[in-house]
Amino acid sequence: DFINTCEGRDKMTGLLKERFYCTAESNKLYFAFLVVLAVIILLTGNSMLLYGYALFSLPGFAFISVAGLRKESVTNWSKYKLTFPVRRSIIVDSFYISHAILIVLGMIFTTLVFALTVLIHGNHYFDLGLRDAVSILTFFGIVAFFIGATFSPLFYYCGTEKADVLLIISLIISVGFAVLMVWLLNYLNDFQQVSNSQYGIVLMVMWLTALIVFLVSRFSTNYIYQKVEY
C-alpha cells in the first residue's frame, strides 16, 4: 500500500508538472501583465484599477487553466496521456488541483496588491475596511473556482469543437451562480448589515458551497471522462 501510495504521488506530481508546463507561456505573459498593472496601481492609487484587479487576476488565471484543457486536446496530448500507466481519475484530479493552485496564488497576489496600495495611499477604497476587501476577493475567487468546475465536465461531454462557446457559458453560469449565492445570503439577512460574527458565517457558507460544487464537478468530470473514447 505504501509503495502504491508513493507511485500515485509521483504520477500526480508528473501530471501537475505537465499541466503547469502546458499553461506556462500564458501564465508568464499574464503574470507580467498583472505585475505591470500592479505597479501602475501602486504608483497612482487609482481606485477603479484596484477594484478591477481582482476581476483581472482571478478569473483570468481560471481562463488560462481551462484553456489548457483545450490546448491538450488540440495537440493530441490528451490522447497521449491515456497511454500513461495512470488511472483516468488521477488525470482528472491533476486538472482540479492545478486549477485550485492557480486561483489560490492569484488570491495571494491580489491580497498583496490590495495591502500595499492601502499601505501607500491610505484606506480610501474600502468603506467597511477589511470586510470589503475580503468580500471582493471572495466573490471573484469563487467565480474563478466555478469557471473550472463548470467548464471541465461540459468540455469532456461536448468536446473540443465547442470549447469557445463552453468557456462563455461557464463564465455566465459562474457569475450568475456567485451573484445568486450572494443575493440569497443577503436575503436571509433581510439585506441588513451583518455583524462580524455573522459575516464570518456567511464567508464560511460561501466557501463551503464553492468547495461542494468543486467536488461535485470533479466526480461528474471523472464519470464522463471514464466513458470518453478517442
Side-chain angles (χ1 to χ4, degrees):
D1 291 340
F2 176 75
I3 294 176
N4 290 334
T5 300
C6 292
E7 289 178 348
R9 289 176 180 173
D10 290 339
K11 292 173 182 177
M12 177 59 73
T13 300
L15 287 170
L16 288 175
K17 288 180 179 178
E18 178 273 325
R19 282 287 308 160
F20 288 121
Y21 177 79
C22 181
T23 59
E25 184 176 351
S26 298
N27 279 326
K28 288 177 181 178
L29 291 173
Y30 198 67
F31 185 74
F33 164 74
L34 291 178
V35 170
V36 172
L37 183 58
V39 171
I40 294 174
I41 293 172
L42 293 177
L43 291 176
T44 64
N46 187 286
S47 59
M48 294 304 296
L49 287 178
L50 182 64
Y51 298 145
Y53 197 81
L55 170 63
F56 287 122
S57 61
L58 300 176
F61 278 123
F63 284 137
I64 290 174
S65 175
V66 299
L69 290 179
R70 183 180 183 278
K71 181 178 179 181
E72 287 182 356
S73 182
V74 170
T75 59
N76 289 323
W77 181 254
S78 57
K79 296 179 182 179
Y80 181 65
K81 283 197 297 186
L82 295 179
T83 64
F84 295 170
V86 59
R87 296 192 304 273
R88 290 193 177 195
S89 60
I90 296 180
I91 296 176
V92 171
D93 288 344
S94 68
F95 164 75
Y96 282 88
I97 293 173
S98 63
H99 187 82
I101 290 173
L102 276 178
I103 304 308
V104 170
L105 289 176
M107 293 186 70
I108 292 173
F109 193 72
T110 304
T111 301
L112 181 61
V113 173
F114 278 12
L116 288 176
T117 303
V118 171
L119 183 64
I120 295 172
H121 298 281
N123 185 21
H124 310 296
Y125 312 98
F126 308 112
D127 294 334
L128 297 178
L130 183 62
R131 280 172 54 165
D132 274 355
V134 171
S135 296
I136 293 173
L137 286 168
T138 296
F139 180 82
F140 287 111
I142 287 176
V143 168
F145 274 103
F146 281 171
I147 288 173
T150 306
F151 181 85
S152 182
L154 290 176
F155 176 78
Y156 284 116
Y157 183 77
C158 298
T160 309
E161 299 79 10
K162 300 179 180 178
D164 294 335
V165 175
L166 294 177
L167 190 56
I168 297 173
I169 293 174
S170 298
L171 176 61
I172 295 172
I173 293 175
S174 300
V175 173
F177 194 88
V179 169
L180 177 62
M181 187 164 55
V182 171
W183 184 87
L184 284 174
L185 290 171
N186 281 309
Y187 175 78
L188 293 175
N189 287 291
D190 296 322
F191 297 96
Q192 301 297 316
Q193 184 173 328
V194 297
S195 65
N196 288 333
S197 59
Q198 290 173 319
Y199 179 72
I201 294 174
V202 168
L203 287 181
M204 289 177 60
V205 170
M206 291 182 69
W207 280 113
L208 181 60
T209 303
L211 177 61
I212 292 173
V213 171
F214 205 63
L215 290 176
V216 169
S217 171
R218 181 269 171 198
F219 287 112
S220 299
T221 300
N222 184 48
Y223 176 78
I224 295 170
Y225 192 50
Q226 297 295 337
K227 300 180 180 298
V228 170
E229 296 181 1
Y230 291 98

